[in-house]
Amino acid sequence: MAKRSTLFIRIVEGKNLPIKDITGSSDPYCIVRIDNEAIIRTATIWKTLSPFWGEEYNVHLPPSFHTMSFYVLDEDSLSRDDVIGKVSISKEALTAKPQGMDGWLNLTEIDPDEEVQGEIHLHISVLGDGDVPTRLRCQVMEARDLAKKDRNGASDPFVRVRYNGKTFESAVVKKTRYPRWNESFEYELEDAAADSPLSVEVWDWDLVSRNDFLGKVLFNINGLQSAQQEEGWFRLGPDKPKHSEHEGTLGSLRLQLRLRDDTVLPSSHYQPLTELLCQSVDSHVNGNWPDLIMLIDETTTAESRQEVANNLVKLFLGQGLVKKFLDVLFKLELDKTTEPNTLFRSNSLASKSMESFLKVAGMQYLHRLLGPTINRIFEEKKYVELDPNKVELRCTGLHRTQTEADVIQQSTVHLQLYLSELLNAILQSATYCPLVLCQVFQQLYQRVQTRFSDPEYRKVKFIAVTSFLCLRFISPAIMSPKLFHLREKHADARTSRTLLLLAKAIQMIANLDTLACCSKEPWMNPLQPTIQQGIAQLKDFITRLVSCDEAEDLGLQARMSLQCGKMEKEGYLLLHRTKDKCMPMTSPFKKYFVTLSRETLSYARTQHSKKSSFISLPKIMAVEKVEEKSFGSANVMQIISCDAGGQMETLYLDCKSVNELNHWLSALRKACSHNTDTMSSYHPGVYKADRWSCCHQKDKADPGCDKTKDGVTLQEWYDPLDPDLESQLIYRHLLGVQQVMKEKYLELKKLHENEEGEPEKGQRKIDGVMRFFSVLQDLHDSHVAVEEEERSKNKNNFLLELQT
């Protein structure tokens, strides 16, 4: 049994942001933080006060997180980025809306007294003579992960303890976010001050300016007298919020958020549900109507359709039945379609499932197909424009300005070259398109051909394939390469326009309409010869694509497990390795090509180097971030492992951005999730000058001043399939629509009781659906039993603590 929290985040857009640049605009981007940890940085949208990002993320979190915050900043190339404002949302607010949040939220001013983080270790006890409490003792041990308030990336923290008008202060610990004080303060308890709280505040000491607030914890004295003592790590909280004069003037963000907490049971609990779903798909092969899949199709709402499609596709991929599942959906969709022009144009379960399938099974194919051309467009940054209303006349030489005709002619040349390159890449891709994609398109092609067999509909079978391959996969990837992991950042305005025009051209080709290809946008006519040629070539390509041989389908399930479920990541990073935490040299990093496979993390000086070093993944004990002040970079991570001789080794990786850092952290944490010999605490600094830079401890073997944070990971398209999790997510959805499914089932029961004069056949299908509802109830009972057991265990632990 495993517990996990999954947070879906979609950063949609912003509006009415304040002007931060002398150009009268801003260059906004977002940083997303879970508690105090930055996990996502969106792309910068240049020169706009109403940016559109449209970026989506699934983040797996530990259940103990408290808040998430969205910081909007203005990027500056010459100075520090300007902070515009933030939106903070508590875990309680997300939990209160299980269907998710979707709307505009006002940005608020960032108050330094509200920007607190970290924890403090305290031991508070009530002392007295006999049964009469007379003294209150507060022992301040240490703190961890405090906010950095100084330019050196650290703080100079001290503690201020207040009770009944009396204040004590601890010593100042210089240049650290992990201070250790080990100081004790005592107060006399007075009946008149029974309602006065004990306040423990942490401050950053400054010699010249005012001290900075780092957070505080409040304790109720009556509660302390009842418990006699309280000891542990306490999360630092903010001061009382102040009224902001900028309320509502900093613009707003549109966000879509959904938090899901799941308890994943052992595989045996999901096996009956999985078997029923598989049987429902298999029954289609024998000519039986797949009632269960049809029930899911007809009861899934538009809001949940994408998520349900993702889960079903991954479940059937793991079972080796994804082709049959998609074929069932094709048949259901075709039986409901009377007008071929509308086929697969709606966001049905079939369309959403096919989109999910393409992203899971075809992403590597897409990268090989589009990668070279997309990279070339980003590097060349050509100015292209075909629309006369948008042409910008530019100076090309001394006293010579281009005419509108010149701009359009040059743009046509550039676009034709790019479009020809893309078309050639598509036409040649039939040889390396994954077999399972070819076979699914073959099924679709044949189904549509059978359903619309009249000569007047001869193009429909081709359009059915291009509607998915081009309109829903290739064209969106050209338009927004970042959303398909083709580029790390969004395109600037010039490159974005080039990509948009190319995406439009691909869409026109995919529609296979030689007469109306440029009728809606006549200014696209200069590309018509290339588009017409592409239409003719695309038909031949589809014919070759769907001509795959079924005999080649050997070991499909095993191949899909390798292709969609392999944990592999690679790229050039700056790397530095130490043994036994030796002092790093000045500028110690060197460029290496790093590869993460299912068993090792290896690195070599070049991508194709024969000589490489590696770390066995089971030997990794911790994967964590490194303090910015350690190497002067905020994007360094450390991999702590143990070699064959039992000696501790640390590998430091310096990444180019916070996104690259978190993608590597996430991939490594998932790859090492089953390691047993792991560390519960670590040092976020480095050992140099005979002490740890983070907490100033002199013992090299000190266990660590901060707890490891292995619970935060990002969901990636190349993540391994998790059948139990997908089954749990499908179960949760089905449980939510159970009543609607029962009503639909009663309709089907009346319809099929005497189907085709075969009552036994109709009864078998009715019995199958009844088994489904029974299985759903059994799963529900299992979850209830697990929750009761968990509550009982927590209660016993609480009573044991009280006795102790």
Side-chain angles (χ1 to χ4, degrees):
M1 184 187 74
K3 286 189 174 181
R4 59 185 290 161
S5 295
T6 303
L7 180 63
F8 168 78
I9 301 171
R10 186 166 192 255
I11 306 167
V12 187
E13 57 186 321
K15 66 179 180 181
N16 302 328
L17 300 183
I19 296 171
K20 290 292 182 179
D21 299 336
I22 59 174
T23 59
S25 187
S26 291
D27 304 314
Y29 66 92
C30 286
I31 293 285
V32 183
R33 290 180 176 269
I34 300 296
D35 289 335
N36 61 302
E37 186 174 358
I39 59 166
I40 295 164
R41 183 204 192 277
T42 69
T44 300
I45 309 298
W46 304 99
K47 297 180 182 179
T48 180
L49 301 179
S50 298
F52 179 83
W53 288 285
E55 297 189 19
E56 294 183 3
Y57 303 90
N58 276 298
V59 186
H60 302 312
L61 302 164
S64 57
F65 89 97
H66 298 87
T67 59
M68 67 176 306
S69 302
F70 298 83
Y71 293 79
V72 182
L73 296 93
D74 166 60
E75 183 169 333
D76 287 318
S77 56
L78 300 178
S79 60
R80 294 184 64 182
D81 294 349
D82 298 315
V83 180
I84 295 174
K86 75 167 185 176
V87 171
S88 287
I89 302 167
S90 66
K91 181 183 179 182
E92 290 72 21
L94 290 168
T95 305
K97 295 188 176 181
Q99 298 305 315
M101 303 172 64
D102 183 357
W104 289 94
L105 299 170
N106 287 334
L107 290 167
T108 60
E109 187 180 14
I110 295 179
D111 184 347
D113 290 348
E114 296 295 302
E115 298 301 297
V116 302
Q117 66 183 59
E119 299 172 302
I120 187 168
H121 188 190
L122 302 171
H123 187 181
I124 302 170
S125 53
V126 177
L127 310 174
D129 301 325
D131 296 331
V132 181
T134 59
R135 286 172 296 135
L136 176 66
R137 176 183 295 166
C138 178
Q139 293 176 269
V140 182
M141 268 81 85
E142 57 186 321
R144 63 190 179 197
D145 199 26
L146 300 179
K148 52 185 179 184
K149 295 292 184 178
D150 298 336
R151 290 186 177 182
N152 59 14
S155 291
D156 304 316
F158 69 93
V159 175
R160 186 176 289 162
V161 186
R162 305 176 188 267
Y163 172 67
N164 194 24
K166 189 175 182 180
T167 302
F168 290 112
E169 288 187 358
S170 73
V172 177
V173 183
K174 297 289 187 69
K175 298 180 182 178
T176 181
R177 295 168 56 223
Y178 298 85
R180 297 189 181 185
W181 293 285
N182 293 322
E183 297 188 36
S184 182
F185 309 101
E186 285 194 9
Y187 296 90
E188 295 293 329
L189 283 174
E190 301 176 13
D191 293 337
D195 295 331
S196 179
L198 173 69
S199 174
V200 181
E201 302 171 357
V202 185
W203 292 80
D204 167 53
W205 177 84
D206 284 315
L207 177 63
V208 179
S209 59
R210 63 184 287 270
N211 296 334
D212 297 312
F213 179 72
L214 293 175
K216 70 177 182 180
V217 184
L218 293 177
F219 295 93
N220 181 280
I221 299 302
N222 291 328
L224 288 171
Q225 289 178 338
S226 301
Q228 295 298 312
Q229 66 176 4
E230 193 160 353
E231 191 269 335
W233 285 94
F234 300 92
R235 185 169 178 261
L236 292 169
D239 205 355
K240 291 182 179 179
K242 302 177 181 64
H243 177 71
S244 172
E245 60 182 15
H246 299 289
E247 189 74 35
T249 65
L250 300 175
S252 53
L253 278 181
R254 187 185 170 200
L255 303 171
Q256 294 175 355
L257 309 168
R258 186 175 61 252
L259 177 65
R260 294 282 173 80
D261 293 319
D262 285 293
T263 300
V264 182
L265 303 176
S267 302
S268 57
H269 291 274
Y270 300 108
Q271 188 173 352
L273 176 61
T274 304
E275 287 178 354
L276 274 177
L277 289 167
C278 292
Q279 287 169 11
S280 181
V281 168
D282 268 332
S283 66
H284 178 66
V285 178
N286 300 322
N288 295 328
W289 192 255
D291 293 325
L292 184 50
I293 299 298
M294 186 169 66
L295 277 175
I296 295 173
D297 180 32
E298 297 195 8
T299 57
T300 302
T301 62
E303 294 77 17
S304 61
R305 198 166 286 139
Q306 184 66 72
E307 183 181 8
V308 173
N310 289 342
N311 299 333
L312 286 171
V313 165
K314 289 183 179 179
L315 176 77
F316 286 115
L317 268 171
Q319 298 296 321
L321 292 172
V322 70
K323 290 193 304 176
K324 293 181 180 178
F325 166 65
L326 292 170
D327 195 30
V328 170
L329 294 181
F330 294 155
K331 190 174 188 306
L332 288 171
E333 186 82 359
L334 284 163
D335 287 339
K336 290 185 288 187
T337 304
T338 56
E339 176 55 53
N341 291 333
T342 64
L343 183 62
F344 299 117
R345 296 300 171 116
S346 65
N347 289 323
S348 62
L349 186 63
S351 297
K352 291 296 184 182
S353 297
M354 191 63 177
E355 283 182 22
S356 298
F357 168 71
L358 287 170
K359 287 183 179 179
V360 175
M363 194 65 83
Q364 290 176 328
Y365 163 72
L366 184 77
H367 282 218
R368 182 175 175 183
L369 173 69
L370 298 181
T373 307
I374 296 294
N375 290 334
R376 181 182 161 200
I377 293 170
F378 269 77
E379 290 163 7
E380 293 181 350
K381 296 184 184 296
K382 300 283 189 183
Y383 172 71
V384 299
E385 185 54 74
L386 298 179
D387 187 348
N389 296 321
K390 295 182 179 180
V391 167
E392 298 177 9
L393 300 181
R394 305 156 59 82
C395 183
T396 58
L398 189 62
H399 308 302
R400 184 178 185 275
T401 302
Q402 282 184 315
T403 65
E404 181 182 291
D406 290 338
V407 173
I408 292 176
Q409 183 181 5
Q410 285 187 6
S411 300
T412 302
V413 172
H414 295 318
L415 287 171
Q416 283 177 333
L417 286 173
Y418 290 142
L419 186 57
S420 297
E421 188 174 321
L422 285 171
L423 285 171
N424 287 335
I426 292 172
L427 299 175
Q428 293 171 11
S429 70
T431 58
Y432 60 81
C433 182
L435 178 62
V436 67
L437 259 67
C438 297
Q439 291 174 337
V440 168
F441 283 129
Q442 183 187 59
Q443 288 178 164
L444 174 62
Y445 183 91
Q446 291 172 349
R447 285 282 182 196
V448 175
Q449 186 178 39
T450 303
R451 174 69 176 81
F452 297 103
S453 56
D454 294 344
E456 60 184 301
Y457 299 137
R458 60 184 179 276
K459 286 197 303 187
V460 177
K461 56 183 179 291
F462 294 100
I463 294 175
V465 176
T466 60
S467 66
F468 287 117
L469 182 61
C470 297
L471 300 184
R472 291 177 181 260
F473 196 45
I474 294 176
S475 186
I478 294 171
M479 200 179 309
S480 300
K482 183 181 187 301
L483 303 185
F484 288 78
H485 312 283
L486 284 160
R487 297 289 296 188
E488 185 181 342
K489 294 183 177 181
H490 281 305
D492 57 28
R494 179 184 293 184
T495 305
S496 182
R497 183 62 179 167
T498 305
L499 295 173
L500 177 62
L501 293 173
L502 288 171
K504 282 180 177 289
I506 293 294
Q507 288 172 354
M508 292 175 180
I509 294 170
N511 287 326
L512 302 178
D513 193 338
T514 55
L515 298 177
C517 65
C518 298
S519 58
K520 292 182 180 179
E521 293 169 322
W523 45 265
M524 290 284 288
N525 273 326
L527 295 181
Q528 188 162 2
T530 310
I531 291 172
Q532 297 286 3
Q533 183 183 0
I535 290 173
Q537 293 173 329
L538 195 61
K539 284 186 179 180
D540 294 335
F541 164 72
I542 293 168
T543 302
R544 285 185 283 119
L545 192 70
V546 301
S547 300
C548 55
D549 186 0
E550 285 290 336
E552 298 174 6
D553 188 22
L554 299 174
L556 171 64
Q557 184 174 352
R559 270 205 314 282
M560 286 308 301
S561 298
L562 288 173
Q563 182 176 346
C564 306
K566 64 179 180 180
M567 174 63 66
E568 185 171 300
K569 188 173 177 63
E570 60 184 20
Y572 279 101
L573 295 172
L574 296 176
L575 183 148
H576 170 63
R577 187 169 192 169
T578 67
K579 285 201 173 187
D580 196 27
K581 294 283 188 181
C582 296
M583 179 182 70
M585 301 175 291
T586 305
S587 302
F589 290 96
K590 294 182 180 179
K591 191 174 181 180
Y592 283 84
F593 190 81
V594 184
T595 303
L596 173 63
S597 66
R598 294 179 68 89
E599 297 177 352
T600 62
L601 179 76
S602 58
Y603 51 95
R605 295 310 297 267
T606 63
Q607 182 175 359
H608 304 291
S609 176
K610 295 181 179 179
K611 184 179 179 181
S612 65
S613 302
F614 69 91
I615 301 173
S616 176
L617 294 186
K619 295 291 185 180
I620 293 178
M621 305 170 70
V623 181
E624 298 294 337
K625 293 182 180 179
V626 177
E627 273 192 311
E628 181 176 354
K629 67 174 186 177
S630 299
F631 295 105
S633 169
N635 303 317
V636 179
M637 60 183 285
Q638 58 179 314
I639 302 168
I640 306 171
S641 61
C642 185
D643 65 10
Q647 187 178 16
M648 198 79 74
E649 297 182 340
T650 303
L651 183 70
Y652 295 100
L653 300 177
D654 190 3
C655 303
K656 294 189 290 289
S657 65
V658 66
N659 278 357
E660 185 178 61
L661 169 67
N662 282 296
H663 285 311
W664 275 100
L665 274 171
S666 178
L668 277 161
R669 285 170 175 172
K670 282 181 279 196
C672 302
S673 60
H674 299 295
N675 289 6
T676 54
D677 189 15
T678 57
M679 301 168 64
S680 59
S681 60
Y682 77 108
H683 285 286
V686 293
Y687 193 84
K688 60 182 179 180
D690 295 328
R691 65 175 60 194
W692 288 102
S693 63
C694 46
C695 59
H696 300 172
Q697 293 301 301
K698 295 185 177 181
D699 183 7
K700 280 186 182 180
D702 186 84
C705 53
D706 198 4
K707 59 182 178 181
T708 52
K709 303 178 181 66
D710 58 355
V712 180
T713 57
L714 301 174
Q715 183 173 311
E716 304 281 2
W717 59 270
Y718 51 73
D719 280 354
L721 299 174
D722 188 341
D724 292 344
L725 175 61
E726 302 307 330
S727 299
Q728 165 61 24
L729 297 176
I730 292 167
Y731 152 73
R732 185 184 60 200
H733 165 74
L734 295 177
L735 193 66
V737 297
Q738 184 176 6
Q739 187 56 41
V740 182
M741 291 185 76
K742 284 183 177 179
E743 294 170 3
K744 197 71 184 176
Y745 158 70
L746 292 176
E747 294 179 20
L748 288 173
K749 183 178 179 182
K750 291 180 182 179
L751 184 65
H752 294 308
E753 276 178 346
N754 297 302
E755 184 188 52
E756 299 176 4
E758 296 183 57
E760 290 184 4
K761 181 180 176 183
Q763 187 61 45
R764 281 199 305 271
K765 288 185 288 187
I766 292 169
D767 291 343
V769 177
M770 290 298 293
R771 283 200 309 276
F772 161 71
F773 288 119
S774 175
V775 165
L776 214 58
Q777 185 61 46
D778 290 343
L779 255 177
H780 176 65
D781 293 343
S782 297
H783 274 276
V784 171
V786 167
E787 289 169 6
E788 287 291 337
E789 183 181 350
E790 192 69 21
R791 277 195 290 269
S792 177
K793 185 189 298 182
N794 292 338
K795 182 179 179 181
N796 291 336
N797 290 340
F798 175 71
L799 292 173
L800 185 61
E801 287 177 8
L802 285 180
Q803 292 172 4
T804 305

